[in-house]
Amino acid sequence: LERLASAPPLEPLPGVLEETPSGPLHRVARYLEPAHCHGRTPIAGALTVSPKSLAALALDDSLSSIDLSRVLFLDTETTGLSGGTGTLPFLVGLAWFEDESLCLEQLLLRKPGEERPLLERLAMRMASASAICTYNGKSFDWPLLRTRAVMNRVPVPAPAAHLDLLHCARRVFGPRLKEVRLVQMEAEVLGLRREHDIDGAEIPMRFWDFVRGADGSTLTPVIEHNANDLVALAALVVALAERWDGVLPHHAPEDRLAVAKVAFRYGDHPRALERARSAADAGGASHVTT
């Protein structure tokens, strides 16, 4: 009894609990100033990217007229990777620009059965977005959220357009790096290596530990991991567009040649020729043909 009386109090979850007409919603909000850089990349640079560049990199003309100031960056943390009906997205990370600041809003499920307020907030954010931007979201995040919305009878609008940066990164950086996980994009492209980042395999266990009574500090590393993923999306938009729009000295020859191949597929033959010649001049592709 004496040991129990002297035990430290449980740490609360970061963020605040809101009461909504559909029930409680726990959210964590923060703002990043316009000058914020993720590694060496200024995230506000995403606002100056041409949507036509992103459409070309994604080989998707539906992106050619999106408003970058109204793009919704989205990333989820879940109880598993299967994506089946038993998988819960217990943390839905959202980010968007207001003026030149990046606003992060992370919606946290405290326990199963409280999904409706989370999904309704997601629906509200998506309704005002010109597109969503994810990393592997076409295959995982969005189908999972859509399934949960249907199961909870919450009408979540389909995204007006969907920029999945995994496919762009695979085309541009895959030939050089082979592996294109988001943390690798951060390290090899954005110049940032996360310190003390949680292992993704540990994340589901952390949620269930919290549901069983662990304190809020159990989920703090998961919340930080998700926030870093969101900021990385904005930074990666900048890095990809740089390689499409122009050649900088630090761009690897393999990346230039990869962009040439994307440009050729997209039908931009002058750009394909210019990037292929640039790759050859940099010594990275002695067998380039035009």
Side-chain angles (χ1 to χ4, degrees):
L1 288 175
E2 190 173 327
R3 282 199 301 270
L4 288 175
S6 62
L10 294 179
E11 290 188 26
L13 277 173
V16 296
L17 186 65
E18 293 184 8
E19 289 299 331
T20 77
S22 299
L25 172 64
H26 196 99
R27 56 187 291 271
V28 181
R30 66 186 84 180
Y31 296 85
L32 300 181
E33 296 296 326
H36 183 87
C37 290
H38 198 67
R40 56 175 170 262
T41 305
I43 58 174
L47 290 168
T48 65
V49 168
S50 167
K52 293 183 179 179
S53 299
L54 298 177
L57 288 162
L59 303 176
D60 182 357
D61 280 332
S62 72
L63 298 164
S64 62
S65 59
I66 62 172
D67 180 354
L68 269 297
S69 67
R70 293 175 46 236
V71 166
L72 184 67
F73 300 95
L74 184 152
D75 183 69
T76 64
E77 307 303 331
T78 70
T79 58
L81 298 177
S82 65
T85 55
T87 302
L88 289 176
F90 70 86
L91 181 61
V92 177
L94 307 172
W96 64 92
F97 283 100
E98 286 185 4
D99 296 325
E100 294 185 346
S101 296
L102 188 67
C103 307
L104 276 64
E105 181 179 59
Q106 295 167 281
L107 311 176
L108 180 64
L109 187 67
R110 299 180 306 163
K111 59 184 178 180
E114 291 187 354
E115 285 182 273
R116 189 174 186 88
L118 180 153
L119 293 166
E120 288 178 345
R121 182 63 59 90
L122 171 65
M124 183 187 78
R125 296 297 184 202
M126 288 188 63
S128 60
S130 65
I132 63 172
C133 178
T134 66
Y135 204 83
N136 197 33
K138 284 187 175 181
S139 297
F140 185 74
D141 301 77
W142 172 242
L144 176 59
L145 289 169
R146 183 180 58 207
T147 297
R148 300 311 304 178
V150 170
M151 292 182 68
N152 284 272
R153 300 183 180 180
V154 176
V156 175
H162 189 160
L163 172 60
D164 190 331
L165 294 177
L166 171 62
H167 304 296
C168 302
R170 187 175 286 144
R171 293 182 188 112
V172 174
F173 303 116
R176 173 167 64 93
L177 300 178
K178 309 307 178 187
E179 192 176 355
V180 290
R181 293 179 302 124
L182 186 54
V183 290
Q184 187 169 11
M185 292 297 99
E186 285 181 312
E188 302 294 341
V189 176
L190 304 176
L192 182 144
R193 293 186 184 275
R194 298 187 192 184
E195 295 183 3
H196 313 299
D197 188 36
I198 189 170
D199 189 322
E202 191 180 331
I203 289 175
M205 178 184 65
R206 291 263 181 164
F207 172 70
W208 292 119
D209 284 347
F210 174 76
V211 170
R212 287 190 288 262
D215 68 20
S217 65
T218 303
L219 289 181
T220 299
V222 181
I223 293 169
E224 289 302 314
H225 172 88
N226 180 258
N228 276 316
D229 283 354
L230 289 170
V231 181
L233 294 179
L236 191 54
V237 164
V238 178
L240 283 162
E242 279 182 350
R243 279 142 178 94
W244 179 264
D245 294 334
V247 173
L248 298 178
H250 67 274
H251 293 169
E254 296 90 344
D255 296 352
R256 304 180 196 190
L257 181 58
V259 170
K261 292 178 178 178
V262 177
F264 186 82
R265 288 180 63 186
Y266 190 65
D268 188 343
H269 296 159
R271 190 183 306 267
L273 180 60
E274 187 276 330
R275 292 295 186 275
R277 284 176 171 167
S278 174
D281 290 344
S286 59
H287 59 282
V288 170
T289 58
T290 60

